[in-house]
Amino acid sequence: MPICSSSSSSSFSSTKSWILHGLAVGAAVAVALGAHAYLGRSGKFRSRVIGIIPARFASTRFQGKPLVQILGKPMIQRTWERAKLAETLDQVVVATDDEKIAECCRGFGAEVIMTSESCRNGTERCNEALQKLDKKYDIVVNIQGDEPLIEPEIIDGIVKALQAAPDAVFSTAVTSLKPEDAFDPNRVKCVVDNRGYAIYFSRGLIPYNKSGKVNPQFPYLLHLGIQSYDTKFLKIYPELTPTPLQLEEDLEQLKVLENGYKMKVIKVDHEAHGVDTPGDVEKIEQFMRERNMA
């Protein structure tokens, strides 16, 4: 899954401007739909938010990935530390089915929820973890465990986008796709409509023009792994039958779209780095060294 990081202070400003634009559009939709009908006792829509980091040891591409060292720290620890900086999260937990990961996380102070090995993806693991918590939440943010440079501003951005769009049950983030990643199936692409809602996700290049080549003038979008859900929807997600497009692309967010649910998308101006294979570790460590990131 992609990993998101900013390379300069200007990038932070650009990211915030994109997020604010997305929130403004979402807020207009909320007003049009009568968002007051959704408000709870607090007077805020979907105000209680938890971040869950699903992590598993077994992986066909990179076994034990959450525990791999990134400049002296386990990757899962770096992800947790970044998530804790988000202002919108009331709580951050790690959900895992592996005792080695659980022991590591408890060692650096994270709260751990043990989940079953039968979870087919991170969304189902988040749902199981949610059911085991004593507190009730309105939004769950699924923070990929292989995102050691995730920016807290992006976490806050997708939470606020979902809070501002009562017709959506899901929110996520995209950034500009680099030309060299256009045909990499590990880099998931996304297309959105004029109101900032997802149309489709694919491992292939979308849109795909008749020349079969990358159009350097087209603003292709790269999906970042982070996503948030309305908890009511999350509870029914595992009961939804797997869909043809979801199975063909092996992308769980397609099951949401194929079942007719809406997904809000914000664009952020951040560099994206994937830790999908062992070879990606050296790349991200080099990235961090160049920017003096401890």
Side-chain angles (χ1 to χ4, degrees):
M1 279 296 192
I3 291 173
C4 191
S5 175
S6 173
S7 57
S8 67
S9 59
S10 63
S11 178
F12 278 111
S13 297
S14 183
T15 294
K16 291 178 180 177
S17 67
W18 274 107
I19 290 173
L20 288 172
H21 172 72
L23 293 180
V25 173
V29 173
V31 170
L33 293 175
H36 64 278
Y38 296 86
L39 301 180
R41 293 180 180 178
S42 67
K44 290 186 178 180
F45 178 47
R46 294 170 173 163
S47 62
R48 300 166 297 181
V49 186
I50 184 171
I52 300 179
I53 306 173
R56 65 189 184 101
F57 191 86
S59 171
T60 54
R61 288 181 296 180
F62 193 170
Q63 187 165 336
K65 181 167 61 171
L67 300 182
V68 69
Q69 295 288 307
I70 303 290
L71 294 185
K73 286 184 180 181
M75 181 159 60
I76 188 75
Q77 179 177 355
R78 290 193 175 277
T79 303
W80 178 81
E81 289 175 348
R82 300 295 289 175
K84 292 285 284 184
L85 298 175
E87 296 178 355
T88 55
L89 300 183
D90 299 311
Q91 185 178 4
V92 178
V93 303
V94 174
T96 185
D97 59 5
D98 186 87
E99 191 54 47
K100 294 184 291 293
I101 293 176
E103 182 179 355
C104 172
C105 292
R106 294 187 187 107
F108 59 73
E111 181 178 352
V112 177
I113 305 295
M114 297 303 296
T115 54
S116 66
E117 295 181 1
S118 63
C119 294
R120 292 170 292 184
N121 51 51
T123 303
E124 291 191 6
R125 197 171 303 283
C126 285
N127 178 56
E128 183 178 330
L130 181 67
Q131 307 312 313
K132 294 184 176 182
L133 291 167
D134 294 330
K135 294 182 180 179
K136 301 298 180 183
Y137 293 93
D138 304 306
I139 291 177
V140 171
V141 183
N142 178 346
I143 304 165
Q144 300 297 316
D146 54 7
E147 296 190 0
L149 301 182
I150 184 66
E151 291 293 346
E153 290 86 356
I154 294 179
I155 296 174
D156 292 335
I158 66 168
V159 169
K160 292 175 182 178
L162 191 56
Q163 290 171 332
D167 58 338
V169 298
F170 191 120
S171 65
T172 190
V174 295
T175 192
S176 297
L177 178 72
K178 296 179 180 179
E180 60 267 30
D181 291 333
F183 299 105
D184 184 346
N186 292 320
R187 300 292 183 261
V188 177
K189 295 78 177 177
C190 176
V191 286
V192 302
D193 68 17
N194 291 334
R195 297 170 63 218
Y197 291 88
I199 298 174
Y200 193 69
F201 296 84
S202 180
R203 295 186 181 278
L205 182 64
I206 52 173
Y208 190 79
N209 61 55
K210 61 184 179 181
S211 75
K213 299 178 181 179
V214 176
N215 177 0
Q217 305 304 316
F218 190 86
Y220 298 101
L221 299 176
L222 172 70
H223 181 226
L224 303 179
I226 188 167
Q227 46 208 25
S228 71
Y229 328 92
D230 180 280
T231 56
K232 295 183 181 67
F233 170 75
L234 183 59
K235 291 176 182 178
I236 67 171
Y237 176 88
E239 307 305 320
L240 297 175
T241 302
T243 55
L245 296 175
Q246 174 203 1
L247 295 173
E248 182 64 20
E249 295 263 16
D250 190 22
L251 296 174
E252 59 188 277
Q253 59 268 36
L254 289 178
K255 185 166 75 166
V256 180
L257 298 181
E258 282 187 89
N259 277 283
Y261 293 97
K262 286 195 171 187
M263 185 182 304
K264 199 76 173 78
V265 180
I266 63 168
K267 185 181 178 185
V268 296
D269 184 17
H270 282 226
E271 293 188 52
H273 303 267
V275 177
D276 295 301
T277 66
D280 292 327
V281 175
E282 183 178 347
K283 294 177 184 178
I284 199 168
E285 287 186 328
Q286 181 62 30
F287 178 87
M288 293 173 69
R289 290 191 191 98
E290 291 172 355
R291 291 156 180 80
N292 296 316
M293 301 172 70

